[in-house]
Each structure stands twice: as structure tokens, then as C-alpha cells.
């Protein structure tokens, strides 16, 4: 491989890394969808987690990363087929068929 091609490949990898790191930093900020975010060591109720681990905080689903963790509240369906309806559960909602409530029906959209 020529030196120019090698330099271009090296530059491309650095650019991808820089953009990915920027995206991670932007996404790790608290957003409207994020219910809770904590900086520092990833721990909850005395239990420590590694980056990449997930855990539950009540009904919230939490994700651990190297800078702490963030949690999201359960999603709520906003539209579904007419033959279905939403049912509230202990930790959120499920959309099921009206005629057979044991079978899950796919919702068109969710908000959370």
C-alpha cells in the first residue's frame, strides 16, 4: 500500500473515532427521554456494575457506562390496530388483542 493510501486510512480511522467519541458524549447528556443520570462510579443500592451492564431501578431500565449510568422509564404505546388495546402492567404497558388478551399485538408507535 502506498504511503498516501496508508496516511488516508490512518486519517479516516481517527476521524471515525473522533466522531464516535463526540456522539457518545452528546448521547450521554441528559435528554427529555432520560429519567435519571448519575455521574461517577456505576453502582446502585450497594451493587457495582461494569460498563455495558444493565439493571433495573424499580421499573426503570438502567445502562452502565464508564462515566456512570442513566435510566429510562417504561415506554407507553400511543397507537395500535383497532383490534387491539393497551393494558397497564406493573412496570408499563403491553398491547394485546381484544379477542385474545394472551397474545401480544404490535403497537404502531411508543413514547417514553
Amino acid at each position: 500500500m502506498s504511503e498516501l493510501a496508508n496516511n488516508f486510512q490512518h486519517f479516516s480511522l481517527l476521524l471515525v473515532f473522533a466522531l464516535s467519541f463526540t456522539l457518545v458524549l452528546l448521547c450521554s447528556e441528559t435528554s427529555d427521554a432520560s429519567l435519571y443520570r448519575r455521574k461517577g462510579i456505576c453502582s446502585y443500592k450497594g451493587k457495582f456494575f461494569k460498563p455495558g451492564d444493565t439493571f433495573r431501578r424499580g421499573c426503570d431500565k438502567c445502562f452502565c457506562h464508564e462515566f456512570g449510568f442513566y435510566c429510562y422509564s417504561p415506554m407507553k404505546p400511543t397507537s395500535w390496530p383497532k383490534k387491539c388495546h393497551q393494558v397497564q402492567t406493573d412496570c408499563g404497558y403491553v398491547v394485546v388483542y381484544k379477542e385474545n388478551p394472551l397474545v401480544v399485538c404490535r403497537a404502531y408507535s411508543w413514547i417514553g
Side-chain angles (χ1 to χ4, degrees):
M1 189 176 339
S2 72
E3 185 176 346
L4 180 62
N6 193 21
N7 287 342
F8 180 75
Q9 183 180 19
H10 182 70
F11 175 76
S12 298
L13 288 172
L14 285 174
L15 183 61
V16 167
F17 174 76
L19 290 173
S20 298
F21 185 70
T22 302
L23 184 60
V24 166
L25 289 177
L26 290 174
C27 290
S28 66
E29 291 301 314
T30 304
S31 69
D32 291 340
S34 177
L35 177 68
Y36 181 82
R37 181 171 183 260
R38 180 175 176 194
K39 292 183 179 182
I41 297 173
C42 188
S43 67
Y44 179 65
K45 289 193 172 183
K47 186 172 180 183
F48 292 91
F49 300 92
K50 316 182 291 247
D53 287 349
T54 61
F55 61 93
R56 292 270 180 195
R57 191 185 72 159
C59 290
D60 301 336
K61 185 172 184 180
C62 301
F63 300 89
C64 180
H65 55 85
E66 57 271 7
F67 304 112
F69 67 89
Y70 56 95
C71 302
Y72 291 95
S73 59
M75 302 283 283
K76 181 177 181 180
T78 56
S79 65
W80 51 85
K82 291 184 180 192
K83 59 186 171 186
C84 305
H85 66 105
Q86 73 174 352
V87 176
Q88 190 167 6
T89 64
D90 289 339
C91 283
Y93 294 87
V94 64
V95 178
V96 295
Y97 286 95
K98 292 176 184 176
E99 291 184 12
N100 189 356
L102 298 176
V103 179
V104 174
C105 181
R106 185 173 181 181
Y108 297 135
S109 60
W110 296 78
I111 192 167

